[in-house]
Amino acid sequence: MNQSSRVSVVIPFYNCPYIDEAIESVLAQSYPDIELIVVDDGSSLYTEKLAPYRDRIVYLRKANGGTGSALNMGIEAASGAYFAWLSADDRFHPHKIERQLQEMRSTGTLFNHTAYYYINEQGERVSGVISVPFPGRLELIRTMMTGCPVNGSSVLLSMDIFRAVGLFNENFLYTQDYELWMRMLPHYSWSYIEEPLLDYRVHQAMGSVIHNEAQSREIKMVQAKHNKILAQLLKKEGWP
């Protein structure tokens, strides 16, 4: 194994009762060269669930600062050539990382995301396949200007992207992923896998439920910041 093939998976953890399931799903990956970094964002609950895994993960702890700050701490500590983010309440499917690396190498892309399933608090599947494919790059750009179809926990990307466009913007507490994808979009082509490779947990304590109003405000801020640039990109790339 070497660092050029290593995937660093970062799990931001804040008082999440499902953290053990998230960790288990990374440790069960078919791809062998994975570094798992758990960033404890000032948790006071469920930290005992980390104990069985401490010799198999990189554990970092910080004062509470939000998901973006936890992701950035993990990225800065990472040794891999690729980055994947897993929310502490979600689960990777066993072949997720392997399939994404295959797709990125075959398409020559540095960013990949996938379809997924919804699961409930008990881990039971409660949806069919959630898939948002695009016929081309122009359609992707247009959609990103109106909302974010990318599930952050489904993403695998090259660390070179961070070196080129920067890390997550920690000023966006609930839409740090959307803002980064918008910042990347003018510079990189993306690939997509229609096979579901993630279980995305829907529950009443999830951030997008608790902070729905603040998230909606931030979405408008992200769009105001980036949509002019993306509109120019559409025109440049030939949108009628």
Side-chain angles (χ1 to χ4, degrees):
M1 306 300 176
N2 60 69
Q3 292 181 346
S4 65
S5 63
R6 182 168 301 149
V7 176
S8 296
V9 178
V10 178
I11 302 179
F13 164 57
Y14 180 68
N15 293 343
C16 180
Y18 307 107
I19 181 62
D20 52 334
E21 294 184 40
I23 290 172
E24 288 281 1
S25 77
V26 178
L27 296 177
Q29 288 296 295
S30 59
Y31 186 73
D33 195 2
I34 290 179
E35 171 186 56
L36 174 53
I37 302 171
V38 177
V39 181
D40 182 344
D41 193 33
S43 295
S44 58
L45 300 172
Y46 307 112
T47 55
E48 72 281 356
K49 288 178 175 276
L50 301 176
Y53 308 105
R54 290 293 287 269
D55 62 342
R56 303 175 69 185
I57 65 175
V58 177
Y59 173 76
L60 305 173
R61 182 172 171 87
K62 59 184 283 297
N64 181 252
T67 301
S69 67
L71 288 168
N72 286 345
M73 175 177 270
I75 293 163
E76 288 167 349
S79 65
Y82 299 91
F83 162 80
W85 160 20
L86 178 60
S87 293
D89 46 5
D90 298 339
R91 303 185 306 210
F92 286 168
H93 290 193
H95 299 286
K96 176 184 183 290
I97 299 298
E98 182 180 14
R99 284 280 294 109
Q100 289 186 280
L101 284 171
Q102 291 170 348
E103 185 71 14
M104 291 167 72
R105 288 165 179 163
S106 68
T107 58
T109 52
L110 299 183
F111 180 98
N112 179 267
H113 63 118
T114 80
Y116 55 96
Y117 292 113
Y118 288 134
I119 60 172
N120 61 18
E121 291 93 336
Q122 290 75 42
E124 301 163 335
R125 191 175 296 166
V126 293
S127 75
V129 177
I130 309 299
S131 180
V132 190
F134 295 94
R137 177 167 164 79
L138 294 178
E139 291 81 5
L140 170 62
I141 294 169
R142 287 194 73 205
T143 299
M144 288 292 291
M145 291 172 70
T146 62
C148 184
V150 180
N151 187 311
S153 286
S154 81
V155 166
L156 181 68
L157 61 84
S158 167
M159 288 286 192
D160 288 340
I161 291 178
F162 294 126
R163 287 185 274 271
V165 305
L167 300 179
F168 289 96
N169 186 331
E170 297 176 19
N171 293 321
F172 292 97
L173 294 178
Y174 313 110
T175 57
Q176 69 287 322
D177 52 345
Y178 185 27
E179 194 281 328
L180 178 60
W181 314 153
M182 295 279 265
R183 208 180 332 141
M184 288 168 35
L185 196 49
H187 309 289
Y188 296 95
S189 295
W190 300 359
S191 54
Y192 181 69
I193 298 175
E194 294 189 44
E195 175 188 355
L197 295 172
L198 171 75
D199 290 331
Y200 177 72
R201 196 182 306 267
V202 180
H203 56 97
Q204 288 304 306
M206 65 193 300
S208 57
V209 172
I210 296 172
H211 304 294
N212 181 261
E213 290 186 15
Q215 185 180 59
S216 296
R217 287 194 298 271
E218 280 196 4
I219 287 171
K220 292 177 182 177
M221 292 169 62
V222 170
Q223 292 168 350
K225 181 179 180 182
H226 291 286
N227 274 6
K228 183 177 180 180
I229 294 171
L230 293 184
Q232 293 171 348
L233 182 63
L234 278 177
K235 187 175 180 180
K236 179 181 176 182
E237 298 201 8
W239 188 264

